[in-house]
């Protein structure tokens, strides 16, 4: 799962929230459990090192993850939790040389990942000018979580992350609503909706709520998703060719990496078009290509 394959990561303006695999002991490739699936070719128990993880904590197949059946590793992002656990919580001690610490490290890593993800979302909300009425609350929450991420391993391992997520989610929802209120007209509400494989080609989803929506393999070619709230939306294999995601809310690099797109897909400037997205065919001329 390690990003030694060079996948882009969100948090461009917040370096501490961007995976820095060179300073991590391959925690995502060890700590997390995986069941054999479309995104991960084999079964792996939590705490068991992936067979592809090398002695130097690098992935031995990082250039071939997709074709070898490990596309889930390309999509995964720790939001910088790996290096925080490795270098701050455990002060540079690694689980190979200090096996007595391994279990604790593996317990702390998923907690830290969630805390860093929450900090990333809070940073996003703080960058939204219309959310100014809640910026004070967002800032306080961000500072509190930042402090928590520097606590000792026992404190981190026993943190009630679900309760924290619930609390922060209410703030993020409010921030998103303040932005979406700026979009004129009626906004569609697909919060948590089952839109797997849905035909949404060219749909007007500007300012829509797609929070937690299941959009796996949905056809969103040419859809207008400007200022749509996409927090937690499952975009695996969603077709975003020619879609406009400018100003969409809470969109992560992982979500983009999991989706399909092309050179005509418009994305927020802080994110990068994944390497596997197909470029726009030269023959289509100016403007958006005809969706295929
Ligand atoms: S395949 Fe590579 S990136 Fe994925 S878990 Fe294994 S070592 Fe990590």
């Amino acid at each position: 799962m390690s990003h030694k394959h060079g996948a882009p990561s969100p948090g461009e303006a917040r370096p501490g929230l961007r995976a820095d695999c060179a300073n991590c002991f391959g925690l995502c490739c060890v700590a997390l459990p995986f069941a054999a699936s479309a995104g991960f070719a084999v079964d792996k128990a939590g705490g068991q090192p992936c067979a592809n993880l090398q002695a130097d904590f690098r992935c031995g197949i990082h250039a071939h993850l997709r074709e070898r059946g490990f596309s889930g590793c390309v999509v995964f992002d720790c939001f910088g939790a790996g290096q925080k656990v490795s270098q701050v919580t455990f002060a540079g001690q690694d689980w190979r040389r200090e096996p007595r610490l391994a279990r604790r490290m593996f317990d702390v890593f998923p907690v830290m990942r969630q805390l860093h993800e929450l900090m990333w979302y809070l940073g996003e909300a703080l960058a939204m000018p219309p959310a100014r009425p809640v910026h004070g609350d967002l800032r306080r929450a961000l500072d509190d979580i930042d402090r928590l991420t520097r606590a000792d391993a026992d404190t981190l391992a026993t943190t009630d992350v679900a309760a924290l997520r619930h609390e922060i989610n209410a703030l993020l929802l409010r921030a998103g609503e303040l932005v979406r209120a700026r979009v004129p007209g009626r906004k569609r509400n697909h919060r948590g909706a089952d839109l797997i494989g849905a035909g949404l080609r060219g749909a007007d989803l500007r300012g829509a709520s797609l929070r937690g929506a299941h959009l796996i393999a949905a056809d969103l070619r040419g859809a207008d998703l400007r200022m749509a709230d996409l927090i937690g939306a499952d975009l695996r294999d969603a077709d975003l060719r020619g879609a406009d995601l400018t100003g969409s809310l809470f969109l992560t690099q992982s979500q983009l990496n999991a989706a399909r797109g092309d050179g005509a897909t418009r994305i927020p400037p802080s994110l990068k078009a994944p390497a596997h997205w197909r470029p726009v065919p030269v023959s289509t001329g100016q403007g958006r290509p005809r969706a295929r």
Side-chain angles (χ1 to χ4, degrees), residues 72-154:
C73 301
V74 180
V75 168
F76 181 82
D77 196 308
C78 76
F79 293 93
Q83 72 260 23
K84 178 73 78 63
V85 174
S86 300
Q87 305 300 339
V88 178
T89 318
F90 289 90
Q93 303 175 93
D94 77 67
W95 50 271
R96 278 203 171 110
R97 281 181 302 171
E98 301 286 350
R100 69 193 165 81
L101 298 176
R103 188 67 266 158
R104 213 44 169 165
M105 280 185 118
F106 303 156
D107 288 344
V108 167
F109 175 67
V111 173
M112 188 69 86
R113 187 192 174 273
Q114 292 188 71
L115 296 178
H116 270 228
E117 183 183 31
L118 287 175
M119 289 202 294
W120 190 87
Y121 283 134
L122 287 164
E124 286 290 289
L126 279 164
M128 299 171 185
R132 199 160 288 121
V134 289
H135 274 186
D137 292 338
L138 292 166
R139 169 56 57 196
R140 271 187 292 280
L142 182 57
D143 290 345
D144 288 349
I145 298 178
D146 188 35
R147 235 184 332 273
L148 179 57
T149 65
R150 294 165 205 286
D152 60 67
D154 288 344

Side-chain angles (χ1 to χ4, degrees), residues 93-285:
Q93 303 175 93
D94 77 67
W95 50 271
R96 278 203 171 110
R97 281 181 302 171
E98 301 286 350
R100 69 193 165 81
L101 298 176
R103 188 67 266 158
R104 213 44 169 165
M105 280 185 118
F106 303 156
D107 288 344
V108 167
F109 175 67
V111 173
M112 188 69 86
R113 187 192 174 273
Q114 292 188 71
L115 296 178
H116 270 228
E117 183 183 31
L118 287 175
M119 289 202 294
W120 190 87
Y121 283 134
L122 287 164
E124 286 290 289
L126 279 164
M128 299 171 185
R132 199 160 288 121
V134 289
H135 274 186
D137 292 338
L138 292 166
R139 169 56 57 196
R140 271 187 292 280
L142 182 57
D143 290 345
D144 288 349
I145 298 178
D146 188 35
R147 235 184 332 273
L148 179 57
T149 65
R150 294 165 205 286
D152 60 67
D154 288 344
T155 303
L156 285 160
T158 53
T159 294
D160 186 350
V161 191
L164 194 55
R165 286 189 83 95
H166 187 71
E167 192 185 308
I168 300 302
N169 197 39
L171 269 180
L172 298 176
L173 177 63
R174 182 77 191 113
E177 282 171 350
L178 287 163
V179 178
R180 291 168 51 237
R182 299 284 177 97
V183 178
R186 204 158 154 258
K187 275 83 68 180
R188 287 162 76 165
N189 185 1
H190 293 302
R191 187 176 179 181
D194 179 355
L195 294 168
I196 297 173
L200 293 165
R201 187 175 182 176
D204 179 6
L205 293 165
R206 197 171 170 211
S209 172
L210 289 159
R211 294 174 70 86
H214 303 278
L215 287 156
I216 300 167
D219 183 355
L220 285 159
R221 286 176 293 176
D224 187 351
L225 289 152
R226 286 176 293 164
M227 283 182 265
D229 186 343
L230 286 160
I231 197 166
D234 192 338
L235 290 169
R236 279 176 292 168
D237 291 324
D239 195 342
L240 295 172
R241 285 177 291 171
D244 191 349
L245 295 130
T246 313
S248 58
L249 311 179
F250 304 119
L251 179 67
T252 67
Q253 189 66 52
S254 292
Q255 285 171 305
L256 277 190
N257 290 353
R260 300 166 62 200
D262 63 14
T265 308
R266 295 179 193 175
I267 58 176
S270 60
L271 304 179
K272 294 176 185 164
H276 67 278
W277 283 14
R278 288 198 293 175
V280 185
V282 176
S283 60
T284 53

Side-chain angles (χ1 to χ4, degrees), residues 1-4 21-30 49 52-60 86 92-98 105-106:
M1 199 63 54
S2 160
H3 282 256
K4 293 165 187 79
C21 304
N23 282 305
C24 172
F25 301 124
L27 292 179
C28 56
C29 307
V30 187
N52 297 316
L53 186 66
Q54 302 177 148
D56 62 356
F57 303 109
R58 289 176 176 270
C59 172
S86 300
Q93 303 175 93
D94 77 67
W95 50 271
R96 278 203 171 110
R97 281 181 302 171
E98 301 286 350
M105 280 185 118
F106 303 156

